[in-house]
Amino acid sequence: MRLERWEPGPDAAGLHSAYVAARAVDNPAPPPLSTRVFTGWLAAGWGGEPREVWFVPGSGGAVDGWYRLVLPDLENTSRANLDLVVAPDARRRGLGSELLRHALARAAAHRRSDVIGVAWDSSAGETFARAAGATRELTEVIRVQDVRRSFPAASVASGYSLLSWDGPVPEEYLERVAGVNAAMANAPRTAGHEEPAWTAQRVQERFNDVFPVFGLRAHSVAARHDASGDFAALTTVYVDPDKPAWGHQGITAVIRPHRGHRLGVTVKLAMLALLRETEPGLERIETDNGETNSRMIAVNCELGYDVCGPAMGFWRLAVPQS
Ligand SMILES: CC(C)(COP(=O)(O)OP(=O)(O)OC[C@H]1O[C@@H](n2cnc3c(N)ncnc32)[C@H](O)[C@@H]1OP(=O)(O)O)[C@@H](O)C(=O)NCCC(=O)NCCS
């Protein structure tokens, strides 16, 4: 079997088709990424980390299977994150196993000891992960909110004020966004996960500089603590211009000293009002939460989110060292 390396460029049509066909079988909702966003995700990941993409060419320019191995370079440098997909009409012929063997060899070459992969529950991916000897680490549940109904207006606790922006983080907010990003350390993570050390420079380099690659529209709402000027809470929603009916929830976090003022619900309600103006075609927002993240889930349920489709399992496999 011949594997080829995919290099960032405009042509990811074959890989995208295999991904779309796989999603239709494994989990049809929410919809798969558009070609443009998928190509950006292959090229840059969501966080600009180093990565390799390898694929198996099929007939007539099609792609039978591919994997993307992300190699964290700042923290978590002993692990690699793996997405591995075989097109439905090429399955059960050993292609997935071959791609996995290759990915593990590449992970070993990069001195990684573990690979973390993701599979939808009750799909072929879950059976495949078990057959490969992987162990389950974490479960994330997808929830979807229909935004076409009415929501109460945001009412912010005294001592805080709301502000918003579209697109990259404005320079004057970089430091404060870094402070809120660090609050994600409380979300459920795989064992041994090292939290990113967020700084203004990192927000610039690993978000602002990477983000244009995807072609997504980003909308952010923050609650500022008036006395200190710090951001106490932040929420971001992304919209794919090629699929404007769906929004994708990015970060929502409230930093610890400011919890207990309903700031999570408040920034999300303010976001809904903002989206009504800026994204008139928006119908739904999808979010994924660790199944044990009870506070975030309670906020989402209060805002009408319902579970959508199967959960996502995170699977760990040790990298054989030669
Ligand atoms: C999971 C996936 C990559 C498997 O690809 P594949 O080419 O069919 O895998 P293989 O033929 O190498 O299968 C290896 C073993 O996995 C298990 N397996 C895979 N698919 C299975 C299925 N549908 N039912 C039962 N067992 C299955 C079997 O044990 C199989 O060995 P066998 O055929 O000798 O019984 C493919 O179904 C896929 O792309 N799924 C969506 C993405 C995903 O979930 N990726 C996994 C990330 S961990």
Side-chain angles (χ1 to χ4, degrees):
M1 184 181 312
R2 187 166 57 95
L3 267 81
E4 290 181 17
R5 186 155 176 184
W6 181 83
E7 298 293 351
D11 189 14
L15 286 85
H16 185 250
S17 297
Y19 153 77
V20 170
R23 274 295 301 277
V25 170
D26 301 313
N27 182 11
L33 303 173
S34 68
T35 314
R36 177 162 53 158
V37 176
F38 174 83
T39 307
W41 172 80
L42 275 187
W46 300 126
E49 293 162 318
R51 80 211 57 82
E52 293 186 2
V53 178
W54 293 82
F55 68 98
V56 180
S59 54
V63 165
D64 282 344
W66 56 267
Y67 76 80
R68 170 183 174 273
L69 190 71
V70 177
L71 302 155
D73 57 337
L74 300 177
E75 298 87 13
N76 301 300
T77 54
S78 65
R79 65 173 62 177
N81 300 317
L82 178 68
D83 294 280
L84 190 160
V85 172
V86 173
D89 57 6
R91 290 184 183 178
R92 296 311 292 275
R93 301 201 309 246
L95 214 65
S97 306
E98 190 65 32
L99 284 161
L100 180 60
R101 262 193 297 279
H102 193 275
L104 290 170
R106 295 304 302 148
H110 288 283
R111 295 183 297 283
R112 308 289 156 147
S113 57
D114 293 279
V115 162
I116 311 277
V118 181
W120 300 108
D121 278 3
S122 307
S123 73
E126 179 178 356
T127 319
F128 176 79
R130 286 187 199 284
T135 50
R136 193 186 181 102
E137 288 256 322
L138 186 72
T139 301
E140 289 198 354
V141 176
I142 312 293
R143 286 182 173 78
V144 170
Q145 176 191 42
D146 189 329
V147 302
R148 291 167 293 184
R149 68 176 180 84
S150 64
F151 292 92
S155 144
V156 68
S158 86
Y160 298 90
S161 37
L162 295 171
L163 54 93
S164 65
W165 66 90
D166 291 338
V169 180
E171 198 182 340
E172 68 268 31
Y173 297 158
L174 289 172
E175 189 83 48
R176 286 176 266 190
V177 167
V180 190
N181 283 359
M184 290 300 284
N186 300 124
R189 303 290 193 212
T190 50
H193 175 84
E194 298 162 3
E195 277 306 316
W198 283 102
T199 60
Q201 186 186 351
R202 186 163 176 161
V203 176
Q204 178 60 43
E205 290 175 359
R206 293 296 174 102
F207 179 74
N208 278 4
D209 294 348
V210 174
F211 165 78
V213 171
F214 309 119
L216 289 166
R217 294 194 288 257
H219 306 281
S220 299
V221 173
R224 183 176 50 209
H225 179 231
D226 295 330
S228 63
D230 291 344
F231 284 176
L234 175 66
T235 191
T236 299
V237 169
Y238 302 97
V239 176
D240 180 342
D242 295 330
K243 300 195 175 193
W246 281 82
H248 308 276
Q249 180 70 56
I251 186 174
T252 298
V254 181
I255 67 172
R256 198 177 280 282
H258 300 288
R259 291 183 185 162
H261 301 288
R262 292 184 57 77
L263 292 174
V265 170
T266 304
V267 289
K268 284 195 158 218
L269 284 173
M271 172 65 79
L272 288 165
L274 175 83
L275 292 172
R276 196 146 283 175
E277 299 298 316
T278 52
E279 297 286 354
L282 191 70
E283 297 176 2
R284 293 182 176 83
I285 298 176
E286 60 115 358
T287 188
D288 57 314
N289 303 121
E291 66 173 350
T292 57
N293 193 349
S294 48
R295 282 177 190 225
M296 194 67 251
I297 291 168
V299 166
N300 288 334
C301 290
E302 182 176 337
L303 294 172
Y305 277 87
D306 283 324
V307 172
C308 172
M312 244 181 336
F314 287 68
W315 296 84
R316 181 189 296 264
L317 190 58
V319 175
Q321 307 290 330
S322 52

Coordinates of all heavy atoms in Angstrom, one line a residue, residues 243-313:
K243 N -21.3 27.6 5.4 CA -22.4 26.9 6.1 C -22.9 27.8 7.2 O -22.8 27.5 8.4 CB -21.9 25.5 6.7 CG -21.3 24.6 5.6 CD -21.1 23.2 6.2 CE -20.7 22.3 5.0 NZ -20.7 20.9 5.3
P244 N -23.5 28.9 6.8 CA -23.8 29.9 7.7 C -25.0 29.6 8.7 O -25.3 30.4 9.6 CB -24.1 31.2 6.9 CG -24.5 30.6 5.6 CD -23.8 29.3 5.4
A245 N -25.6 28.5 8.5 CA -26.7 28.1 9.4 C -26.2 27.5 10.7 O -27.0 27.4 11.7 CB -27.7 27.1 8.7
W246 N -24.9 27.1 10.7 CA -24.4 26.5 11.9 C -23.3 27.3 12.5 O -22.4 27.8 11.9 CB -23.8 25.1 11.6 CG -24.8 24.1 11.4 CD1 -25.6 23.8 10.3 CD2 -25.3 23.2 12.5 NE1 -26.5 22.8 10.6 CE2 -26.3 22.4 11.9 CE3 -24.9 22.9 13.8 CZ2 -26.9 21.4 12.6 CZ3 -25.5 21.9 14.5 CH2 -26.5 21.2 13.9
G247 N -23.4 27.5 13.9 CA -22.3 28.1 14.6 C -21.6 27.1 15.4 O -22.2 26.0 15.8
H248 N -20.3 27.3 15.7 CA -19.5 26.3 16.4 C -18.9 27.0 17.7 O -18.2 28.0 17.5 CB -18.4 25.8 15.5 CG -18.9 25.2 14.3 ND1 -19.4 24.0 14.2 CD2 -19.1 25.8 13.0 CE1 -19.9 23.8 12.9 NE2 -19.7 24.9 12.2
Q249 N -19.3 26.5 18.8 CA -18.8 27.2 20.0 C -17.3 27.0 20.2 O -16.9 25.8 20.2 CB -19.6 26.6 21.2 CG -19.2 27.2 22.6 CD -19.7 28.6 22.7 OE1 -20.9 28.9 22.6 NE2 -18.8 29.5 23.0
G250 N -16.6 28.0 20.4 CA -15.2 27.9 20.9 C -15.2 28.0 22.4 O -16.0 27.4 23.1
I251 N -14.2 28.7 22.9 CA -14.1 28.8 24.3 C -15.3 29.5 25.0 O -16.0 30.3 24.4 CB -12.8 29.7 24.7 CG1 -12.6 29.7 26.2 CG2 -13.0 31.1 24.2 CD1 -11.3 30.4 26.6
T252 N -15.7 28.9 26.2 CA -16.5 29.7 27.1 C -15.8 29.5 28.5 O -15.7 28.3 28.9 CB -18.0 29.3 27.2 OG1 -18.6 29.4 25.9 CG2 -18.8 30.1 28.2
A253 N -15.4 30.5 29.1 CA -14.8 30.4 30.4 C -15.0 31.6 31.3 O -15.2 32.7 30.8 CB -13.3 30.2 30.2
V254 N -15.1 31.3 32.6 CA -15.2 32.3 33.6 C -14.1 32.1 34.5 O -13.9 31.0 35.0 CB -16.6 32.2 34.4 CG1 -16.7 33.4 35.4 CG2 -17.8 32.3 33.5
I255 N -13.3 33.2 34.8 CA -12.1 32.9 35.7 C -12.5 32.8 37.1 O -13.5 33.4 37.6 CB -10.9 33.9 35.4 CG1 -11.3 35.3 35.9 CG2 -10.5 33.9 34.0 CD1 -10.0 36.2 35.8
R256 N -11.8 32.0 37.8 CA -12.2 31.5 39.2 C -12.7 32.6 40.1 O -13.8 32.5 40.7 CB -11.1 30.7 39.8 CG -11.5 29.8 40.9 CD -10.4 29.0 41.5 NE -10.1 27.8 40.7 CZ -10.8 26.7 40.7 NH1 -11.9 26.6 41.5 NH2 -10.5 25.7 40.0
P257 N -11.9 33.7 40.3 CA -12.4 34.7 41.3 C -13.7 35.3 40.9 O -14.3 36.0 41.8 CB -11.3 35.8 41.2 CG -10.2 35.3 40.4 CD -10.7 34.1 39.6
H258 N -14.2 35.2 39.7 CA -15.4 35.8 39.3 C -16.5 34.8 39.0 O -17.6 35.2 38.4 CB -15.1 36.6 38.0 CG -14.1 37.7 38.2 ND1 -14.3 38.8 38.9 CD2 -12.8 37.7 37.8 CE1 -13.2 39.5 39.0 NE2 -12.3 38.9 38.3
R259 N -16.4 33.6 39.5 CA -17.5 32.6 39.3 C -18.6 32.9 40.3 O -18.3 33.6 41.3 CB -16.9 31.2 39.5 CG -16.0 30.9 38.3 CD -15.5 29.5 38.3 NE -14.6 29.3 37.2 CZ -13.7 28.4 37.0 NH1 -13.6 27.4 37.9 NH2 -12.9 28.3 36.0
G260 N -19.8 32.5 40.0 CA -20.9 32.7 40.9 C -21.7 33.9 40.6 O -22.6 34.3 41.4
H261 N -21.4 34.7 39.5 CA -22.2 35.9 39.2 C -23.0 35.7 37.9 O -23.4 36.6 37.3 CB -21.2 37.1 39.0 CG -20.4 37.4 40.2 ND1 -21.0 38.0 41.3 CD2 -19.1 37.2 40.5 CE1 -20.0 38.2 42.2 NE2 -18.9 37.7 41.8
R262 N -23.2 34.4 37.5 CA -23.9 34.1 36.3 C -23.3 34.7 35.0 O -23.9 35.0 34.1 CB -25.4 34.5 36.4 CG -26.1 33.6 37.4 CD -27.6 33.9 37.5 NE -28.3 33.8 36.3 CZ -28.7 32.6 35.7 NH1 -28.4 31.5 36.3 NH2 -29.3 32.6 34.6
L263 N -22.0 34.9 35.1 CA -21.3 35.5 33.9 C -21.3 34.6 32.7 O -21.3 35.1 31.6 CB -19.9 36.0 34.3 CG -19.8 37.1 35.3 CD1 -18.4 37.4 35.7 CD2 -20.5 38.4 34.8
G264 N -21.2 33.2 32.9 CA -21.3 32.3 31.8 C -22.5 32.4 31.0 O -22.5 32.6 29.8
V265 N -23.7 32.4 31.7 CA -25.0 32.6 31.0 C -25.0 34.0 30.4 O -25.5 34.1 29.2 CB -26.2 32.4 32.0 CG1 -27.5 32.8 31.4 CG2 -26.2 31.0 32.5
T266 N -24.5 35.0 31.1 CA -24.6 36.4 30.6 C -23.9 36.6 29.3 O -24.4 37.1 28.3 CB -24.1 37.3 31.7 OG1 -24.8 37.1 32.9 CG2 -24.3 38.8 31.3
V267 N -22.6 36.1 29.2 CA -21.9 36.3 28.0 C -22.5 35.5 26.8 O -22.6 36.0 25.7 CB -20.4 36.0 28.1 CG1 -19.7 37.1 28.9 CG2 -20.1 34.6 28.6
K268 N -23.1 34.4 27.2 CA -23.7 33.6 26.1 C -25.0 34.2 25.6 O -25.3 34.2 24.4 CB -24.0 32.2 26.6 CG -22.7 31.3 26.6 CD -23.1 29.8 26.7 CE -21.9 29.0 26.2 NZ -22.4 27.8 25.5
L269 N -25.8 34.8 26.5 CA -27.0 35.5 26.1 C -26.6 36.8 25.2 O -27.3 37.1 24.2 CB -27.8 36.0 27.3 CG -28.6 34.8 28.0 CD1 -29.3 35.4 29.3 CD2 -29.7 34.3 27.0
A270 N -25.6 37.5 25.7 CA -25.1 38.6 24.9 C -24.7 38.2 23.5 O -24.9 38.9 22.5 CB -24.0 39.4 25.6
M271 N -24.0 37.0 23.5 CA -23.6 36.5 22.2 C -24.8 36.2 21.3 O -24.8 36.6 20.1 CB -22.8 35.2 22.4 CG -22.4 34.4 21.1 SD -21.3 35.4 20.1 CE -19.8 35.0 20.9
L272 N -25.9 35.7 21.8 CA -27.0 35.4 21.0 C -27.6 36.7 20.4 O -28.0 36.7 19.2 CB -28.1 34.6 21.8 CG -27.7 33.2 22.2 CD1 -28.6 32.6 23.3 CD2 -27.8 32.3 20.9
A273 N -27.6 37.7 21.2 CA -28.1 39.0 20.7 C -27.2 39.5 19.6 O -27.7 40.0 18.5 CB -28.2 40.0 21.8
L274 N -25.9 39.4 19.8 CA -24.9 39.9 18.8 C -25.1 39.1 17.5 O -25.1 39.6 16.4 CB -23.5 39.6 19.3 CG -22.4 40.0 18.4 CD1 -22.1 41.5 18.4 CD2 -21.1 39.2 18.8
L275 N -25.2 37.7 17.6 CA -25.3 36.9 16.4 C -26.6 37.2 15.6 O -26.6 37.0 14.4 CB -25.3 35.4 16.8 CG -23.9 34.9 17.4 CD1 -24.0 33.5 17.9 CD2 -22.8 35.0 16.3
R276 N -27.6 37.6 16.3 CA -28.9 37.9 15.6 C -28.7 39.0 14.6 O -29.2 39.1 13.6 CB -30.0 38.3 16.7 CG -31.3 38.2 16.1 CD -32.4 37.8 17.1 NE -32.4 36.3 17.3 CZ -33.1 35.7 18.2 NH1 -33.9 36.4 19.0 NH2 -33.1 34.4 18.4
E277 N -27.8 40.0 15.0 CA -27.5 41.1 14.1 C -26.4 40.7 13.1 O -26.6 41.0 11.9 CB -26.8 42.2 15.0 CG -27.7 42.8 16.0 CD -29.0 43.4 15.5 OE1 -28.9 44.1 14.5 OE2 -30.1 43.1 16.0
T278 N -25.4 40.0 13.5 CA -24.2 39.8 12.6 C -24.4 38.5 11.7 O -23.7 38.4 10.7 CB -22.9 39.7 13.4 OG1 -23.1 38.7 14.4 CG2 -22.5 41.0 14.0
E279 N -25.2 37.6 12.2 CA -25.3 36.3 11.4 C -26.8 36.0 11.2 O -27.3 35.0 11.8 CB -24.6 35.1 12.2 CG -23.1 35.3 12.4 CD -22.3 35.0 11.1 OE1 -22.9 34.6 10.1 OE2 -21.1 35.2 11.2
P280 N -27.4 36.7 10.3 CA -28.9 36.5 10.2 C -29.3 35.1 9.7 O -30.4 34.7 10.0 CB -29.3 37.6 9.2 CG -28.0 38.1 8.6 CD -26.9 37.8 9.5
G281 N -28.4 34.4 9.1 CA -28.7 33.1 8.6 C -28.5 32.0 9.6 O -28.8 30.8 9.4
L282 N -28.1 32.3 10.8 CA -27.7 31.3 11.8 C -29.0 30.6 12.4 O -29.9 31.3 12.7 CB -26.9 32.0 13.0 CG -26.3 31.0 14.0 CD1 -25.1 30.3 13.3 CD2 -25.8 31.8 15.2
E283 N -28.9 29.3 12.4 CA -30.0 28.5 13.0 C -29.7 27.8 14.2 O -30.5 27.6 15.2 CB -30.6 27.5 11.9 CG -31.1 28.3 10.7 CD -31.5 27.3 9.6 OE1 -31.4 26.1 9.8 OE2 -32.0 27.8 8.5
R284 N -28.4 27.2 14.3 CA -28.0 26.4 15.4 C -26.6 26.6 15.8 O -25.8 27.0 14.9 CB -28.2 24.9 15.0 CG -29.6 24.5 14.8 CD -29.7 23.0 14.4 NE -31.0 22.6 14.3 CZ -31.8 22.7 13.2 NH1 -31.2 23.2 12.1 NH2 -33.0 22.4 13.2
I285 N -26.3 26.4 17.0 CA -24.9 26.4 17.5 C -24.6 25.0 18.1 O -25.5 24.5 18.9 CB -24.7 27.5 18.6 CG1 -25.0 28.9 18.0 CG2 -23.3 27.4 19.1 CD1 -24.9 30.0 19.0
E286 N -23.5 24.5 17.8 CA -23.1 23.2 18.4 C -21.9 23.4 19.4 O -21.1 24.3 19.1 CB -22.7 22.1 17.4 CG -21.6 22.5 16.4 CD -20.4 21.6 16.6 OE1 -20.4 20.7 17.4 OE2 -19.4 21.9 15.8
T287 N -21.9 22.6 20.4 CA -20.8 22.7 21.4 C -20.5 21.3 21.9 O -21.3 20.4 21.8 CB -21.3 23.6 22.6 OG1 -20.1 23.8 23.4 CG2 -22.4 23.0 23.4
D288 N -19.3 21.1 22.3 CA -18.9 19.8 22.9 C -18.3 20.1 24.3 O -17.5 21.0 24.5 CB -18.0 19.0 22.1 CG -16.7 19.6 21.7 OD1 -16.8 20.8 21.3 OD2 -15.7 19.0 21.8
N289 N -18.8 19.3 25.3 CA -18.3 19.4 26.6 C -17.9 18.0 27.2 O -18.6 17.0 26.8 CB -19.5 19.9 27.5 CG -20.0 21.2 27.1 OD1 -21.2 21.3 26.8 ND2 -19.2 22.2 27.0
G290 N -16.9 18.0 28.0 CA -16.5 16.8 28.7 C -17.8 16.4 29.5 O -18.5 17.2 30.1
E291 N -18.1 15.1 29.5 CA -19.3 14.6 30.1 C -19.4 14.9 31.6 O -20.5 14.9 32.2 CB -19.6 13.1 29.8 CG -18.6 12.2 30.5 CD -18.9 10.7 30.4 OE1 -20.0 10.4 29.9 OE2 -18.1 9.9 30.7
T292 N -18.3 15.2 32.2 CA -18.3 15.5 33.7 C -18.2 17.0 34.0 O -18.2 17.4 35.1 CB -17.1 14.8 34.4 OG1 -15.9 15.3 33.8 CG2 -17.2 13.3 34.3
N293 N -18.3 17.8 32.9 CA -18.2 19.2 33.1 C -19.6 19.8 33.5 O -20.2 20.5 32.7 CB -17.6 19.9 31.8 CG -17.2 21.3 32.0 OD1 -17.5 21.9 33.1 ND2 -16.5 21.9 31.0
S294 N -20.0 19.5 34.7 CA -21.4 19.7 35.0 C -21.8 21.2 35.0 O -22.9 21.5 34.6 CB -21.7 19.1 36.4 OG -20.7 19.5 37.3
R295 N -20.9 22.1 35.4 CA -21.3 23.5 35.4 C -21.5 24.0 34.0 O -22.5 24.8 33.8 CB -20.2 24.3 36.1 CG -20.3 24.2 37.6 CD -19.2 24.9 38.3 NE -19.3 24.5 39.7 CZ -19.2 25.3 40.7 NH1 -19.0 26.5 40.5 NH2 -19.3 24.8 41.9
M296 N -20.6 23.7 33.1 CA -20.8 24.2 31.7 C -22.0 23.6 31.1 O -22.8 24.2 30.4 CB -19.5 23.8 30.9 CG -19.4 24.5 29.6 SD -19.1 26.3 29.8 CE -20.7 27.0 29.2
I297 N -22.3 22.3 31.4 CA -23.4 21.6 30.9 C -24.7 22.3 31.4 O -25.7 22.5 30.7 CB -23.4 20.1 31.2 CG1 -22.2 19.5 30.3 CG2 -24.7 19.4 30.8 CD1 -21.8 18.1 30.7
A298 N -24.7 22.6 32.7 CA -25.9 23.3 33.3 C -26.2 24.6 32.6 O -27.3 24.9 32.3 CB -25.6 23.5 34.8
V299 N -25.1 25.4 32.3 CA -25.3 26.6 31.6 C -25.9 26.4 30.3 O -26.9 27.0 29.8 CB -24.0 27.4 31.4 CG1 -24.1 28.5 30.4 CG2 -23.4 27.9 32.8
N300 N -25.4 25.4 29.5 CA -25.9 25.1 28.2 C -27.3 24.6 28.2 O -28.1 25.0 27.4 CB -25.0 24.1 27.5 CG -23.6 24.7 27.1 OD1 -23.6 25.9 26.9 ND2 -22.6 23.9 27.0
C301 N -27.7 23.7 29.2 CA -29.0 23.2 29.3 C -30.0 24.4 29.6 O -31.1 24.4 29.0 CB -29.1 22.1 30.3 SG -28.3 20.6 29.7
E302 N -29.6 25.3 30.4 CA -30.4 26.5 30.7 C -30.7 27.2 29.5 O -31.8 27.8 29.3 CB -29.7 27.3 31.8 CG -30.5 28.5 32.2 CD -29.8 29.4 33.3 OE1 -28.9 28.8 34.0 OE2 -30.1 30.5 33.4
L303 N -29.8 27.2 28.5 CA -30.0 28.0 27.3 C -30.6 27.1 26.2 O -30.5 27.5 25.0 CB -28.6 28.6 26.9 CG -28.0 29.6 27.8 CD1 -26.6 30.0 27.4 CD2 -28.9 30.8 27.8
G304 N -31.1 25.9 26.5 CA -31.8 25.1 25.6 C -31.0 24.2 24.7 O -31.5 23.7 23.7
Y305 N -29.7 23.9 25.1 CA -29.0 23.0 24.3 C -29.5 21.6 24.6 O -29.8 21.2 25.7 CB -27.5 23.0 24.7 CG -26.7 24.1 24.1 CD1 -26.6 25.4 24.6 CD2 -25.9 23.8 22.9 CE1 -25.9 26.4 24.0 CE2 -25.2 24.8 22.3 CZ -25.1 26.1 22.8 OH -24.4 27.1 22.2
D306 N -29.6 20.7 23.5 CA -29.9 19.3 23.7 C -28.8 18.4 23.1 O -28.2 18.8 22.1 CB -31.2 19.0 22.9 CG -32.4 19.5 23.6 OD1 -32.4 19.4 24.9 OD2 -33.4 20.0 23.0
V307 N -28.7 17.2 23.7 CA -27.7 16.3 23.1 C -28.0 16.0 21.7 O -29.1 15.8 21.3 CB -27.7 15.0 24.0 CG1 -26.8 13.9 23.3 CG2 -27.2 15.3 25.4
C308 N -26.9 15.9 20.9 CA -27.1 15.7 19.4 C -26.1 14.6 19.0 O -24.9 14.7 19.1 CB -26.8 17.0 18.7 SG -26.8 16.8 16.9
G309 N -26.6 13.4 18.6 CA -25.8 12.4 18.0 C -25.0 11.7 19.1 O -25.1 11.9 20.3
P310 N -24.1 10.8 18.6 CA -23.3 10.0 19.6 C -22.2 10.9 20.3 O -21.9 12.0 19.8 CB -22.6 9.0 18.7 CG -22.6 9.6 17.3 CD -23.8 10.5 17.2
A311 N -21.8 10.4 21.4 CA -20.7 11.1 22.1 C -19.3 10.7 21.4 O -19.3 9.8 20.6 CB -20.6 10.6 23.6
M312 N -18.3 11.5 21.8 CA -17.0 11.3 21.2 C -16.1 10.7 22.3 O -16.0 11.3 23.4 CB -16.4 12.7 20.9 CG -16.2 12.9 19.4 SD -15.5 14.5 19.1 CE -15.9 15.6 20.4
G313 N -15.4 9.6 22.0 CA -14.5 9.0 22.9 C -13.1 9.4 22.5 O -12.7 9.4 21.4

